[in-house]
Amino acid sequence: MAEQVRAIRTRRTILTAAARVFEVHGYQAATIAQILKEAGTTKGALYFHFVSKEDLAQAVLAEQDHSIQVPHRVSKVQEIVDIVMLHAHRLQTDPIVRTAVRLTMDQQSEGLDRSGPFLRWVEVGVPLLEEAQARGELLPHAMPSETAAVIVGSFAGIQSMSQAICEYRDLVTRVSAMLRHVLPSAVAPSILASLDLAESRGPGSTRKPCRHLWSSRSRPPGRRKRSTPSAEGRAPVSPTLRQGRPAPASSATYADSAVPRSPPSDVHAR
C-alpha cells in the first residue's frame, strides 16, 4: 500500500513538473532533462510512468477534464453552464489545467495530437444536451452535437482572448457573457429565464450532490432518464438571472434544484 501511494505521489510530481516546463518553454522546446530537473527525480522513475515526452503531454492535456465534478441539476442546461463556469474557474486557479489548455491551443506543438480535449468536451456536452432536448429545454431546431461543438469552440476562443489580454483575470466575466449570447440560439426561453449565469457559479457549482463528469456519461442512451420535470416545486423566475447576476438571497432558483427534491426550507442557501 505504501509503495502504491509513493508511486502515485511520484507520478503527480512528474506531471506537475512537466506542466511547469511546458508552460515556460512550450511543448516543442521542452526536454526530458528539463522535466527531470524540475521534478527532482530519476530518468527511471519518469519512464516507469510515462514512455515519452508526448505521453507526458497527453497526460497533462487530460488533466483539464478528469477531476471536474458537477452537481445533478433538474435543468440539464444549467448543468452545462456549471461545467463551463467551473472549468473557467479552474483555468484561473489550477496551474496544470492552465498548462493543459495552453498545450491544446499551441499550434507549434508538432507531433502532438491536440484533438483529444476538444473531442472529450464535446462528448461531455452531447448527452446532457440530448437529455435537455428530451425534457423540452431546447428549441426545436437545436442539434445537441452541433450545439456542444459551438459551446466548446466558443470557450476555446474566449479563453485564448482572456489569456492574451490579462492572463485569465477576466475569464469568468467573459465566459458568462459568452453563454448569455450563445445559449439563446438553442435554449427555450422559459429555461433561459431560470438559468443562473453568475460569475460565482464556478467555485459554487462543486457543492454536493456531485458526480464525476464521466460517471454517468458512459451509460447506454436508452438507460438515461428521459422524464420531463414537473412544474411543481419550481420557484418564481428572477429576471436578474438573464444578466448573469445571482438571484436575491430570499429566493430559490429552478437551476439549483436536485432530482428529486421537495421545496427546501433553507431556500436561500447556495
Side-chain angles (χ1 to χ4, degrees):
M1 184 66 176
E3 290 183 1
Q4 184 178 11
V5 171
R6 187 161 55 250
I8 293 172
R9 188 182 302 120
T10 299
R11 184 184 187 279
R12 188 67 184 177
T13 298
I14 295 169
L15 198 61
T16 303
R20 293 196 192 106
V21 172
F22 290 146
E23 184 168 22
V24 173
H25 301 283
Y27 174 77
Q28 204 65 32
T31 65
I32 292 295
Q34 290 169 329
I35 295 170
L36 288 173
K37 182 178 180 180
E38 182 72 28
T41 190
T42 65
K43 186 177 291 187
L46 186 148
Y47 283 113
F48 176 80
H49 294 283
F50 306 99
V51 300
S52 64
K53 184 175 79 169
E54 182 181 1
D55 191 31
L56 254 173
Q58 290 295 344
V60 172
L61 287 173
E63 282 295 307
Q64 61 183 285
D65 52 63
H66 277 181
S67 58
I68 283 189
Q69 292 184 337
V70 293
H72 296 275
R73 299 297 186 197
V74 170
S75 168
K76 297 296 107 178
V77 175
Q78 182 67 57
E79 200 164 323
I80 290 171
V81 168
D82 289 351
I83 290 170
V84 174
M85 296 303 291
L86 178 56
H87 188 40
H89 171 70
R90 291 178 75 237
L91 242 174
Q92 289 181 315
T93 59
D94 190 325
I96 294 184
V97 172
R98 191 158 54 244
T99 300
V101 171
R102 289 186 180 184
L103 271 180
T104 303
M105 304 299 293
D106 185 4
Q107 297 184 24
Q108 303 302 315
S109 299
E110 295 181 12
L112 178 65
D113 183 359
R114 300 178 292 114
S115 64
F118 293 110
L119 297 175
R120 286 196 298 270
W121 282 119
V122 171
E123 288 172 1
V124 167
V126 168
L128 281 171
L129 287 165
E130 287 176 344
E131 194 165 354
Q133 190 175 53
R135 292 165 177 258
E137 296 185 31
L138 304 186
L139 295 171
H141 68 268
M143 299 171 59
S145 59
E146 185 176 76
T147 302
V150 168
I151 292 173
V152 171
S154 299
F155 183 93
I158 286 293
Q159 69 80 26
S160 288
M161 184 177 182
S162 178
Q163 186 269 326
I165 292 174
C166 60
E167 284 294 322
Y168 299 121
R169 288 191 298 275
D170 67 352
L171 181 59
V172 291
T173 301
R174 291 184 182 275
V175 169
S176 180
M178 177 204 78
L179 291 171
R180 291 199 306 273
H181 285 76
V182 171
L183 293 180
S185 68
V187 178
S190 60
I191 301 300
L192 281 175
S194 70
L195 293 178
D196 184 351
L197 303 177
E199 295 174 20
S200 60
R201 196 73 194 176
S205 67
T206 56
R207 297 175 183 175
K208 293 184 178 181
C210 292
R211 64 179 173 198
H212 196 280
L213 276 182
W214 305 101
S215 63
S216 63
R217 307 294 189 255
S218 59
R219 290 181 298 176
R223 294 185 62 188
R224 282 194 208 98
K225 188 175 180 180
R226 297 291 189 179
S227 60
T228 302
S230 67
E232 295 180 7
R234 296 186 190 177
V237 170
S238 171
T240 61
L241 298 181
R242 290 189 177 184
Q243 303 301 320
R245 297 193 294 273
S250 61
S251 67
T253 65
Y254 172 59
D256 284 324
S257 302
V259 184
R261 66 170 260 178
S262 301
S265 56
D266 186 15
V267 296
H268 62 280
R270 283 273 173 175

